[in-house]
Amino acid sequence: MKIEINEVMFKKMMKAVKGAVAKYDTRPGLDYIKINVSGGIVTASSCDGITGAEMRFKALSCDCEGFDCFIKPIDFKASKSGKNIVTIERLENAAIVETPEAYGTITYNFEQPTSIAYDYDEIFSKLKNHDREVGVNSTIMQRVMQAIANVSNTRLKVAVIESKENPKEGFCIRTIDDDFTFEQFILPVRYE
């Protein structure tokens, strides 16, 4: 089971979802990027328990109906031409990622976890149940959130986004490009 992805799309995918991968050993199982392939569509998702990210795009080629695998974030730089291919292959107990480099190919071998403490699909399906959509300028949203983070004195740097329907549901920010869809989720803070 193997797919091929354009190197520029692979770089975008890594950049998009690696921010929501857990960075601490205290969150085992949340330090992976889940790759789901179904009908030639690749969905890369990650969740660190506070935020989540999901990106969907079409693979260049796929030799099967679909598969799931888990990989870790990879630092990757695309070539100037942007025409090289990255492959992701699912074997019995491993995922193999091959990235092109200036002088050959780098092969990453990711042993697949025997169990994941949470269900990616369940988390993301619950986060997508919203009662409304709000379009915002992403630069302004970033500036507002950064301003809140800069002035907040609390450890969690909480920003409150009001929702009249259900305040326990997460907040979703989505962007749709010609070649991909990328969703960022912010889970509500659990007050003590």
Side-chain angles (χ1 to χ4, degrees), residues 19-159:
V21 173
K23 294 157 187 65
Y24 308 106
D25 293 339
T26 57
R27 293 188 176 268
L30 297 174
D31 54 351
Y32 289 100
I33 296 170
K34 179 182 180 184
I35 304 293
N36 172 272
V37 179
S38 179
I41 302 298
V42 179
T43 303
S45 52
S46 60
C47 182
D48 64 5
I50 300 169
T51 63
E54 186 174 82
M55 182 174 181
R56 287 178 298 284
F57 57 92
K58 187 167 178 39
L60 291 176
S61 71
C62 181
D63 70 355
C64 62
E65 279 298 310
F67 63 89
D68 288 337
C69 67
F70 294 89
I71 66 173
K72 301 277 184 156
I74 298 170
D75 288 328
F76 177 73
K77 183 176 181 181
S79 67
K80 289 182 181 180
S81 70
K83 295 180 181 179
N84 291 324
I85 304 298
V86 174
T87 62
I88 300 176
E89 184 175 6
R90 175 67 158 109
L91 302 175
E92 189 173 321
N93 294 319
I96 309 295
V97 179
E98 292 183 345
T99 61
E101 297 296 326
Y103 301 103
T105 302
I106 295 181
T107 302
Y108 299 91
N109 185 347
F110 299 101
E111 185 177 322
Q112 296 302 283
T114 54
S115 66
I116 295 291
Y118 66 99
D119 184 351
Y120 279 83
D121 299 328
E122 182 182 349
I123 289 171
F124 285 100
S125 66
K126 285 183 179 179
L127 288 172
K128 292 176 184 177
N129 293 328
H130 295 282
D131 58 346
R132 66 183 141 218
E133 286 188 4
V134 178
V136 296
N137 178 300
S138 59
T139 304
I140 293 172
M141 177 68 104
Q142 177 186 11
R143 190 174 65 220
V144 167
M145 291 299 191
Q146 188 61 52
I148 291 169
N150 287 340
V151 299
S152 176
N153 291 323
T154 64
R155 179 178 60 88
L156 296 175
K157 306 288 185 191
V158 175

Side-chain angles (χ1 to χ4, degrees), residues 179-190:
D179 300 330
F180 65 90
T181 301
F182 175 53
E183 295 175 316
Q184 282 284 133
F185 301 98
I186 302 171
L187 303 178
V189 173
R190 291 160 183 83

Side-chain angles (χ1 to χ4, degrees), residues 10-30:
F10 182 77
K11 181 180 178 181
K12 284 182 185 180
M13 178 192 82
M14 279 295 154
K15 189 174 184 180
V17 300
K18 75 178 182 180
V21 173
K23 294 157 187 65
Y24 308 106
D25 293 339
T26 57
R27 293 188 176 268
L30 297 174

